[in-house]
């Protein structure tokens, strides 16, 4: 049976891990290299590392930090933030990442997805989506860029389908309405996108307890669930979450 993945997200700002609610009021919560090593020890399936201000500041990925994290973990590791060119993708992979997440740059330059997939393979190219409820859109959801600060005018469902047709091998689907609230994922949004595309969809935004993961991985049809606050706060470990999922009948890797 296809195992569901648990992925921990480290949002990084100025070289430190940070956490906010709905992308606001971020606080410093630690050293990303130490935290990556700890989650690896706890048995996380993958790590995602987002430089949350690189695109807004117009600078590239922090390669030295990426290589430090890559030396600590031996699991798939995805990096997003400030990756705007094919050279940035190459440099990030050479620094030790297995995948790159493209969000703002992919909206501005969709050919980055197709070129990246052609050169490095679709499995390396992840579409990052920051999605907000927007009833003016056909699907009921719109997409934003620059850490949720800029509306793109794109319908979330249409953009997801287009990015996959261009070569994106995976989607990290973040609900901005749920982000950091710990009140549960947007299951309806996740199911809509999961059913519409042929690639794995990673649910993001809103996890507060293991039941939320169970719900989005079953009803929401997500291939993986991304968590942050749940483990950063110390309320849960990766292992305790996997134990709860397993008890609920969700197949996970131990």
């Amino acid at each position: 049976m296809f195992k569901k993945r648990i992925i921990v997200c480290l949002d990084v700002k100025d070289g430190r891990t940070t956490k906010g609610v709905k992308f606001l009021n971020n606080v410093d919560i630690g050293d990303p290299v130490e935290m990556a090593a700890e989650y690896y020890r706890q048995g996380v399936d993958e790590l995602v590392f987002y430089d949350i201000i690189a695109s807004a500041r117009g600078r590239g990925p922090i390669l030295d930090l990426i290589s430090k994290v890559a030396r600590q973990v031996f699991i798939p590791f995805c990096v997003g933030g400030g990756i705007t060119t094919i050279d940035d993708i190459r440099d990030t992979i050479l620094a030790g990442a297995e995948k790159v997440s493209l969000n703002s740059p992919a909206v501005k330059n969709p050919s980055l997805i197709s070129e990246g997939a052609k050169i490095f393979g679709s499995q390396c190219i992840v579409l990052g989506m920051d999605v907000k409820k927007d009833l003016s859109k056909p699907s009921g959801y719109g997409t934003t860029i620059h850490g949720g600060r800029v509306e793109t005018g794109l319908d979330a469902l249409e953009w997801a389908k287009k990015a996959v047709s261009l070569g994106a091998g995976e989607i990290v689907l973040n609900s901005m309405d749920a982000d950091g609230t710990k009140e549960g994922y947007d299951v309806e949004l996740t199911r809509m996108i999961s059913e519409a595309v042929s690639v794995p969809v990673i649910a993001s935004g809103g996890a507060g307890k293991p039941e939320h993961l169970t719900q989005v991985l079953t009803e929401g049809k997500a291939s993986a669930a991304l968590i942050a606050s749940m483990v950063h706060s110390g309320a849960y470990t990766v292992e305790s979450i996997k134990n709860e999922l397993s008890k609920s009948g969700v197949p996970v890797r131990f």
Side-chain angles (χ1 to χ4, degrees):
M1 193 181 233
F2 189 72
K3 299 266 203 300
K4 302 286 190 177
R5 291 170 290 152
I6 306 303
I7 302 173
V8 169
C9 176
L10 299 172
D11 283 337
V12 176
K13 181 181 178 185
D14 300 325
R16 300 284 294 174
T17 309
T18 180
K19 191 72 196 99
V21 176
K22 299 188 182 181
F23 289 33
L24 300 170
N25 306 322
N26 285 70
V27 291
D28 184 321
I29 55 170
D31 176 272
V33 181
E34 287 169 15
M35 291 173 77
E38 172 57 23
Y39 295 132
Y40 174 63
R41 196 186 61 70
Q42 287 181 18
V44 75
D45 297 309
E46 295 187 22
L47 282 169
V48 174
F49 178 104
Y50 286 126
D51 185 335
I52 60 170
I53 52 173
S55 285
R57 287 188 180 169
R59 65 160 167 72
I62 12 180
L63 301 172
D64 58 331
L65 196 54
I66 294 164
S67 62
K68 280 179 191 161
V69 172
R71 285 199 290 271
Q72 297 290 330
V73 303
F74 302 93
I75 48 174
F77 169 43
C78 177
V79 173
I83 298 169
T84 58
T85 65
I86 291 296
D87 284 344
D88 288 339
I89 297 175
R90 183 179 287 110
D91 291 345
T92 302
I93 291 169
L94 289 174
E98 275 75 22
K99 308 176 188 181
V100 295
S101 177
L102 305 174
N103 187 333
S104 310
V107 169
K108 293 176 181 172
N109 176 20
S111 67
L112 191 60
I113 299 173
S114 47
E115 282 179 49
K118 199 162 66 187
I119 297 168
F120 306 103
S122 281
Q123 78 287 348
C124 289
I125 307 299
V126 179
L127 177 73
M129 294 178 68
D130 290 322
V131 175
K132 250 186 195 162
K133 283 196 172 86
D134 180 350
L135 298 179
S136 72
K137 298 286 181 287
S139 69
Y141 292 89
T143 42
T144 68
I145 56 172
H146 291 320
R149 289 183 288 273
V150 178
E151 306 274 347
T152 65
L154 293 170
D155 177 78
L157 181 60
E158 287 309 309
W159 174 230
K161 291 197 286 197
K162 181 179 177 186
V164 170
S165 74
L166 288 170
E170 199 166 58
I171 294 173
V172 173
L173 180 65
N174 187 43
S175 162
M176 288 196 55
D177 302 298
D179 182 77
T181 62
K182 304 185 195 172
E183 286 165 14
Y185 296 91
D186 187 330
V187 175
E188 185 190 343
L189 166 68
T190 309
R191 184 171 49 244
M192 176 179 71
I193 303 287
S194 296
E195 287 177 342
V197 298
S198 56
V199 301
V201 172
I202 300 163
S204 170
K209 53 188 181 180
E211 293 86 340
H212 293 151
L213 281 81
T214 299
Q215 189 185 23
V216 85
L217 292 168
T218 54
E219 293 169 41
K221 302 192 175 178
S223 297
L226 191 125
I227 55 176
S229 309
M230 277 178 83
V231 285
H232 295 342
S233 65
Y236 298 92
T237 63
V238 173
E239 192 177 16
S240 71
I241 294 167
K242 284 189 173 185
N243 284 331
E244 291 296 323
L245 289 173
S246 188
K247 276 187 215 160
S248 306
V250 178
V252 290
R253 291 192 190 100
F254 282 103

